[in-house]
C-alpha cells in the first residue's frame, strides 16, 4: 500500500529503503536494498522467494517501487471485445513490480517469471525517479522525478503517453484518487490534477520540506446527503522529510481553504506508512506509521472535520533483543515496515536487518498503549545469510538408506574373485604388496581433514567479517583482519556484501590511527577494498564526507614521505660506505705479511722498535743478508761513538734505514711491479 523512500546522500532525501507489501493478500514483501538488489520475501514462512540484480544495480540503484494493483475481472463490453488481446495482456500484470532508479529509468519485473518484463526509458525522465503509482483501471503508470516532470506511461507499448511539468522544484510523491480521475502530486506544495486535461484543480500549502508520502484516507465524503462528484469532501494524508507531523487535508469545493484540517504527531521522521480506508463516515481510519527510530505508532480516528491539536498515537510497538547475561541491557531491534492484514485486527511487522529481515504477524489489542516484543534474531541470522549468498541446497539423506553397488546383496563393495590355490603364499605377498598400508591411509585422511578445515575457514571469512562489522565484535574482527595471506584478503573482499564496504573502510581508518605494526596489515586490506570495490564507491554520492577522515590521514602521512625518503637515501649512503670500509680492512689475509712499509718520521722510538722486527724476517734473499751484515757493522760503529755524540747516532740510523729501504726496492723485482701498478 505504501512504499518507503530510498536513502541517499541528499539531506532532504526520504529515510529508509524502498519496500512494499504485495496487494494480493500481502503474500510477498519486496525490498530494494542499497546495494541495488531486489529481494522478494514470503510473509507466511519468512523465506526468500526471489532475488533480482539489475544490470546497472551499482550506477542506477532502486529509489522507489510499487506493486501492480489487483484488477477485478469484469464482463467485457462489445467495444472491449475487439481489444481482447490487450485485455489479456493487462490481466497478467498483477505480478508486475515497478522499480524506479536513480538514473531515471523504470524497470518492470515479473515475479512469476522471475525476470525483467520490460524497461521504460525512452522519452521519460533524465533524473532520479522519486515515486511510482499504478492506475487501478487503465493499466497506466505514473512517475515523478527530480527533473520537475510527471510522466504517464503506457505499460503495453512501454512508451510515454503524456509528460508535463509538475512543479518548479522536484516532484517527490504521487497518489491517484479512488475513482481514478484525479492525481495528487507533491514537491514543496501539493497539487491536485485532473488526469483528463492535466490541469490543476486545487492547491494546498504543503510542508516546509519535500513531501515523502501521499495517500487518500477516505472513499466517500462524510456528508453523504450532498451529491458526490468523486473528489469533493475526501481526506488525504501527507508526510514530509524531517517532519514529525502527518497532516490530513480535505478536498473542499471552495478554493480558499488550503490548510490542513488535522495532524498526527510521531516521535521521528516517518519511514513507512500504511492505513485502512474508511468506507463510510462512522468507520474510523486506522493508521500505522513506522518511524526512523524503529518504532511503530498506531492511530485510530474518525475524520469528521477540523481538529486544532495534533493527535497522539493510541498504541506504540517496539521490538528488543533479550540481552545476554543478567546485567546486560536489551538492545532495540528496528522495525522496517508494517502493514495491516485483511482483517484489520492484526499487523504484519518486518524487523531486523534489510539483508535478512524477520516477518511476523502480531494481533492488535486496543487496550494496550505500549507493546514491547522481545525477539532473539542473533541465532537465526547467520545461516540464512549463508544460504542467501550461495543458494546451494544440500539433499536430505535418510539415515536408513543403503547405497547399493554391484556384488552380493547387503555388501557395499564388489567381492574380488579368490586367487587360484596353486600360487599359495606368493599370491598373498603380491596382494599385500599392492595394497596401501594403514599408516599411509591414516596420513591421507589427516591431510584431507586439514584441507577441509582450511577451506571452511577461508569460506567463512566474509560471513565473519560481515557479522563483526554489524555487531562491532572486536575479537571477531581481529580474527579476520590480522591475517597476512594476501590471496585470502582478496577472496574475502571479493565475497563480502556491498553494504559492508563503508563500515569496513571506517574500521580500517580507526586501526590505521593505532599502532604502526597493525597499520602495515590494514594497508593491505585498504588496497584490496579500494581496487576491488572502486566502481561501487564511485556511485556513492556521500563518499567524500564518509571517507574524509581516511583522506586526511593519508594526506598527513604522505606529507612526511618526502622527508623520510631523503633520510632513507642518506642512511643508505652511510651504510654502503661503512660496509665498503669494513670490506677493505678485512680484505688482506692474515697469512701474508707486508714486505715494505713506509712510515712518516713521527718518532725515533718507533723506528728503533720496528727495525729488529724487519731484521728478523725469514724471507729475505741473499742480497738482503749481505745488507744485514753491513747494517750490523754500522750498528757496532755507532755503539762505539755513543759517548761522543748521541744525536749523530740517531741520524746515522735513519740514513741506514732509508738506504736499506731504497736498496730493497731496487733489488726486489716484485716491488718494482707493485710501484708501477700503483
Amino acid at each position: 500500500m505504501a512504499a518507503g523512500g530510498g536513502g541517499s546522500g541528499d539531506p532532504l532525501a526520504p529515510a529508509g529503503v524502498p519496500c512494499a507489501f504485495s496487494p494480493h493478500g500481502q503474500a510477498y514483501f519486496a525490498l530494494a536494498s542499497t546495494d541495488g538488489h531486489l529481494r522478494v520475501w514470503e510473509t507466511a514462512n519468512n523465506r526468500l522467494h526471489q532475488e533480482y540484480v539489475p544490470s546497472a544495480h551499482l550506477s542506477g540503484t532502486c529509489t522507489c517501487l510499487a506493486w501492480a494493483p489487483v484488477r477485478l475481472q469484469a464482463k467485457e463490453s462489445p467495444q472491449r471485445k475487439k481489444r481482447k488481446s490487450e485485455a489479456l495482456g493487462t490481466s497478467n500484470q498483477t505480478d508486475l513490480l515497478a522499480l524506479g532508479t536513480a538514473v531515471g529509468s523504470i524497470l518492470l519485473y515479473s515475479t512469476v517469471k522471475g525476470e525483467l518484463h520490460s524497461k521504460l526509458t525512452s522519452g521519460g525522465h533524465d533524473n532520479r525517479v522519486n515515486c511510482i503509482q499504478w492506475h487501478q483501471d487503465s493499466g497506466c503508470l505514473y512517475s515523478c522525478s527530480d527533473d520537475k516532470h510527471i510522466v504517464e506511461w503506457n505499460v503495453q507499448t512501454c512508451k510515454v503517453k503524456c509528460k508535463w511539468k509538475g512543479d518548479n522544484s522536484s516532484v517527490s510523491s504521487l497518489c491517484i484518487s479512488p475513482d481514478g480521475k484525479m492525481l495528487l502530486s507533491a514537491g514543496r506544495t501539493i497539487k491536485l490534477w485532473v488526469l483528463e486535461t492535466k490541469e490543476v484543480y486545487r492547491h494546498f500549502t504543503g510542508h516546509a520540506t519535500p513531501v515523502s508520502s501521499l495517500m487518500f484516507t477516505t472513499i466517500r465524503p462524510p456528508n453523504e446527503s450532498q451529491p458526490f462528484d468523486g473528489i469533493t469532501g475526501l481526506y488525504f494524508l501527507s508526510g514530509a522529510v524531517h517532519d514529525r507531523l502527518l497532516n490530513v487535508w480535505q478536498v473542499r469545493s471552495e478554493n480558499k481553504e488550503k490548510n490542513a484540517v488535522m495532524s498526527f504527531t510521531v516521535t521521528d521522521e516517518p519511514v513507512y506508512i500504511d492505513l485502512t480506508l474508511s468506507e463510510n463516515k462512522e468507520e474510523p481510519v486506522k493508521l500505522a506509521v513506522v518511524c526512523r527510530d524503529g518504532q511503530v505508532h498506531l492511530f485510530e480516528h474518525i475524520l469528521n472535520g477540523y481538529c486544532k491539536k495534533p493527535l497522539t498515537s493510541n498504541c506504540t510497538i517496539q521490538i528488543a533483543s533479550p540481552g545476554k547475561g543478567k546485567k546486560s541491557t536489551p538492545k532495540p531491534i528496528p522495525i522496517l515496515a508494517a502493514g495491516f492484514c485483511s482483517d484489520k485486527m492484526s499487523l504484519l511487522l518486518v524487523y531486523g536487518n534489510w539483508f535478512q529481515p524477520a516477518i511476523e504477524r502480531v494481533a492488535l489489542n486496543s487496550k494496550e498503549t505500549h507493546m514491547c516484543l522481545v525477539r532473539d534474531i542473533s541465532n537465526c541470522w547467520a545461516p540464512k545469510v549463508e544460504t542467501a549468498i550461495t543458494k546451494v541446497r544440500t539433499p536430505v539423506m535418510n539415515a536408513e538408506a543403503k547405497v547399493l553397488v554391484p556384488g552380493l546383496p547387503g555388501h557395499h563393495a564388489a567381492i574380488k574373485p579368490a586367487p587360484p590355490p596353486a600360487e599359495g603364499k606368493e599370491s598373498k605377498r603380491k596382494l599385500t604388496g599392492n595394497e596401501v598400508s594403514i599408516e599411509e591411509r591414516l596420513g591421507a585422511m589427516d591431510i584431507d581433514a586439514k584441507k577441509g578445515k582450511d577451506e571452511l575457514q577461508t569460506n567463512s571469512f566474509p560471513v565473519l567479517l560481515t557479522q563483526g562489522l554489524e555487531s562491532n565484535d572486536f575479537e571477531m574482527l581481529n580474527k579476520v583482519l590480522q591475517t597476512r595471506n594476501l590471496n585470502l584478503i582478496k577472496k574475502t573482499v571479493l565475497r563480502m556484501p556491498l553494504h559492508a564496504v563503508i563500515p569496513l573502510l571506517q574500521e580500517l581508518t580507526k586501526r590505521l590511527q593505532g599502532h604502526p605494526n597493525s597499520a602495515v596489515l590494514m594497508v593491505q586490506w585498504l588496497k584490496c577494498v579500494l581496487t576491488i570495490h572502486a566502481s561501487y564507491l564511485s556511485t556513492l554520492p556521500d563518499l567524500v564526507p564518509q571517507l574524509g577522515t581516511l583522506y586526511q590521514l593519508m594526506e598527513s602521512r604522505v606529507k612526511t614521505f618526502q622527508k623520510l625518503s631523503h633520510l632513507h637515501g642518506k642512511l643508505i649512503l652511510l651504510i654502503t660506505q661503512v660496509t665498503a670500509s669494513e670490506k677493505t680492512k678485512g680484505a688482506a689475509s692474515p697469512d701474508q705479511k707486508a714486505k715494505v712499509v713506509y712510515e712518516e718520521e713521527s718518532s725515533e722510538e718507533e723506528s728503533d722498535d720496528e727495525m729488529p722486527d724487519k731484521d728478523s724476517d725469514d724471507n729475505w734473499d741473499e742480497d738482503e743478508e749481505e745488507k744485514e751484515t753491513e747494517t750490523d757493522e754500522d750498528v757496532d760503529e755507532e755503539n762505539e761513538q755513543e759517548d761522543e755524540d748521541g744525536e749523530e747516532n740517531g741520524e746515522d740510523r735513519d740514513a741506514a734505514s732509508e738506504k736499506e729501504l731504497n736498496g730493497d726496492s731496487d733489488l726486489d723485482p716484485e716491488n718494482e711491479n707493485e710501484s708501477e701498478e700503483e
Side-chain angles (χ1 to χ4, degrees):
M1 290 184 184
S8 67
D10 187 4
L12 294 180
V17 293
C19 54
F21 289 99
S22 63
H24 187 65
Q26 295 179 325
Y28 300 105
F29 177 73
L31 188 145
S33 56
T34 53
D35 58 356
H37 292 222
L38 172 68
R39 296 180 177 89
V40 181
W41 302 87
E42 297 178 7
T43 57
N45 52 17
N46 198 15
R47 189 178 64 182
L48 181 63
H49 179 65
Q50 284 179 3
E51 183 175 4
Y52 172 65
V53 184
S55 58
H57 66 284
L58 294 179
S59 59
T61 56
C62 180
T63 55
C64 57
L65 57 87
W67 289 88
V70 178
R71 295 177 180 83
L72 298 176
Q73 300 295 328
K75 293 183 179 180
E76 296 178 349
S77 60
Q79 295 179 355
R80 196 62 178 169
K81 287 182 180 179
K82 296 179 181 179
R83 303 176 66 184
K84 188 175 181 180
S85 60
E86 182 182 350
L88 292 174
T90 57
S91 64
N92 294 329
Q93 292 177 6
T94 56
D95 67 308
L96 292 182
L97 185 63
L99 308 174
T101 63
V103 294
S105 60
I106 298 175
L107 308 177
L108 298 181
Y109 175 75
S110 174
T111 55
V112 173
K113 298 178 181 178
E115 61 184 12
L116 188 66
H117 180 270
S118 57
K119 188 175 182 180
L120 311 178
T121 53
S122 60
H125 301 289
D126 55 4
N127 208 330
R128 169 193 171 98
V129 180
N130 292 322
C131 185
I132 296 174
Q133 285 289 325
W134 290 83
H135 198 279
Q136 279 281 356
D137 303 322
S138 65
C140 294
L141 192 70
Y142 294 89
S143 61
C144 62
S145 170
D146 283 347
D147 61 4
K148 309 176 185 179
H149 286 82
I150 302 172
V151 177
E152 181 181 6
W153 299 89
N154 188 341
V155 180
Q156 297 298 319
T157 60
C158 299
K159 293 182 180 180
V160 176
K161 289 182 66 176
C162 185
K163 180 178 180 180
W164 71 97
K165 187 175 181 181
D167 207 329
N168 292 327
S169 60
S170 62
V171 185
S172 57
S173 186
L174 295 175
C175 182
I176 299 176
S177 63
D179 62 351
K181 297 180 180 179
M182 296 285 185
L183 175 69
L184 277 172
S185 70
R188 295 297 176 98
T189 62
I190 301 175
K191 296 179 182 179
L192 184 62
W193 301 83
V194 180
L195 286 178
E196 187 176 355
T197 61
K198 307 299 185 295
E199 295 179 354
V200 178
Y201 180 73
R202 290 286 185 272
H203 279 277
F204 300 93
T205 307
H207 296 259
T209 53
V211 176
S212 58
S213 56
L214 278 176
M215 55 187 67
F216 279 90
T217 59
T218 55
I219 298 177
R220 302 288 300 177
N223 189 3
E224 296 181 353
S225 60
Q226 297 179 356
F228 180 51
D229 59 356
I231 191 66
T232 304
L234 295 186
Y235 291 90
F236 67 90
L237 180 78
S238 66
V241 178
H242 304 318
D243 195 347
R244 296 190 298 109
L245 289 177
L246 297 172
N247 293 337
V248 178
W249 315 78
Q250 187 179 19
V251 182
R252 300 185 180 182
S253 58
E254 63 272 11
N255 199 14
K256 295 180 181 179
E257 188 65 35
K258 297 181 180 180
N259 297 326
V261 294
M262 66 181 67
S263 59
F264 300 101
T265 177
V266 292
T267 56
D268 205 344
E269 176 186 349
V271 173
Y272 190 97
I273 301 174
D274 190 26
L275 55 83
T276 60
L277 290 172
S278 175
E279 298 180 359
N280 54 62
K281 63 178 182 179
E282 296 179 356
E283 184 180 1
V285 174
K286 292 184 178 181
L287 185 66
V289 182
V290 181
C291 297
R292 189 169 55 178
D293 56 5
Q295 301 183 38
V296 177
H297 299 278
L298 300 178
F299 299 88
E300 186 174 351
H301 187 74
I302 297 176
L303 304 178
N304 54 3
Y306 182 76
C307 184
K308 186 176 181 180
K309 293 183 179 180
L311 300 174
T312 57
S313 61
N314 298 336
C315 180
T316 302
I317 301 177
Q318 287 179 302
I319 300 179
S321 62
K324 298 179 181 179
K326 296 181 180 180
K327 297 182 179 180
S328 62
T329 57
K331 295 182 180 180
I333 300 173
I335 299 175
L336 304 178
F340 285 102
C341 299
S342 57
D343 58 356
K344 300 183 182 181
M345 297 303 296
S346 56
L347 199 67
L348 272 177
L349 294 180
V350 181
Y351 58 90
N353 193 286
W354 58 263
F355 187 71
Q356 178 71 40
I359 305 174
E360 182 180 350
R361 183 170 179 171
V362 178
L364 299 179
N365 190 354
S366 58
K367 296 181 180 180
E368 295 183 4
T369 58
H370 189 274
M371 295 174 61
C372 185
L373 307 177
V374 179
R375 299 291 184 268
D376 188 7
I377 61 172
S378 59
N379 296 330
C380 61
W381 190 75
K384 291 185 179 180
V385 171
E386 188 68 24
T387 55
I389 292 175
T390 59
K391 292 185 178 179
V392 176
R393 295 183 180 180
T394 56
V396 179
M397 298 294 293
N398 190 359
E400 299 178 356
K402 293 183 180 180
V403 180
L404 300 178
V405 295
L408 295 178
H411 288 270
H412 291 279
I415 296 178
K416 297 179 180 179
E423 293 180 1
K425 294 182 180 180
E426 293 181 359
S427 62
K428 290 183 180 180
R429 289 178 183 176
K430 289 180 181 178
L431 287 173
T432 55
N434 294 330
E435 291 180 355
V436 182
S437 64
I438 297 177
E439 184 179 359
E440 292 177 353
R441 290 181 182 178
L442 292 175
M445 290 172 64
D446 292 338
I447 293 172
D448 294 339
K450 290 179 181 178
K451 286 182 180 178
K453 289 181 180 179
D454 292 338
E455 290 176 359
L456 180 62
Q457 186 177 2
T458 54
N459 290 334
S460 62
F461 262 39
V463 179
L464 287 176
L465 181 60
T466 307
Q467 291 179 352
L469 293 172
E470 293 263 350
S471 60
N472 291 327
D473 193 336
F474 188 74
E475 295 181 358
M476 191 180 296
L477 289 173
N478 276 344
K479 288 180 181 178
V480 180
L481 296 178
Q482 294 297 329
T483 180
R484 297 178 180 272
N485 190 349
L486 188 58
N487 291 328
L488 183 57
I489 293 174
K490 289 182 179 179
K491 290 180 180 179
T492 305
V493 174
L494 275 171
R495 295 176 182 176
M496 66 181 293
L498 289 177
H499 70 88
V501 172
I502 293 296
L504 176 59
L505 289 175
Q506 293 173 352
E507 181 67 25
L508 294 176
T509 304
K510 293 179 184 178
R511 293 173 180 257
L512 281 173
Q513 297 173 353
H515 198 272
N517 290 337
S518 64
V520 174
L521 292 174
M522 297 308 109
V523 167
Q524 298 291 337
W525 282 91
L526 185 63
K527 180 181 177 182
C528 289
V529 172
L530 294 179
T531 53
I532 293 173
H533 295 290
S535 58
Y536 168 68
L537 292 173
S538 62
T539 61
L540 298 178
D542 56 344
L543 182 64
V544 175
Q546 285 187 352
L547 301 185
T549 307
L550 178 61
Y551 177 76
Q552 293 174 2
L553 178 64
M554 294 174 64
E555 189 177 10
S556 62
R557 297 199 176 180
V558 167
K559 285 182 180 179
T560 60
F561 178 73
Q562 188 175 5
K563 297 179 181 179
L564 290 174
S565 61
H566 285 311
L567 180 61
H568 181 64
K570 292 179 181 179
L571 289 175
I572 289 177
L573 289 175
L574 290 173
I575 292 171
T576 51
Q577 289 178 359
V578 170
T579 53
S581 62
E582 289 178 354
K583 287 181 180 179
T584 53
K585 287 182 180 179
S589 61
D591 298 336
Q592 297 179 357
K593 294 183 179 180
K595 295 182 179 180
V596 177
V597 178
Y598 173 76
E599 294 183 358
E600 295 181 356
E601 298 179 1
S602 58
S603 63
E604 297 176 358
E605 296 178 0
E606 291 179 357
S607 62
D608 293 338
D609 296 335
E610 289 175 358
M611 292 304 295
D613 294 337
K614 294 178 181 178
D615 295 338
S616 62
D617 198 354
D618 296 333
N619 296 328
W620 296 103
D621 298 335
E622 293 179 359
D623 296 336
E624 293 172 350
E625 291 177 357
E626 292 177 0
K627 283 292 180 179
E628 286 178 0
T629 55
E630 291 178 1
T631 54
D632 293 337
E633 292 175 358
D634 293 338
V635 170
D636 294 336
E637 291 177 358
E638 288 173 359
N639 290 331
E640 291 176 358
Q641 296 177 0
E642 276 181 354
D643 298 335
E644 295 177 359
D645 193 357
E647 295 179 356
E648 294 178 358
N649 292 335
E651 293 176 356
D652 293 337
R653 287 180 182 178
D654 293 338
S657 62
E658 289 178 0
K659 289 179 182 180
E660 184 179 343
L661 291 173
N662 293 330
D664 291 340
S665 63
D666 295 334
L667 292 173
D668 196 354
E670 294 178 1
N671 292 335
E672 291 179 359
N673 296 331
E674 290 178 359
S675 62
E676 289 176 1
E677 290 175 359
E678 293 176 356

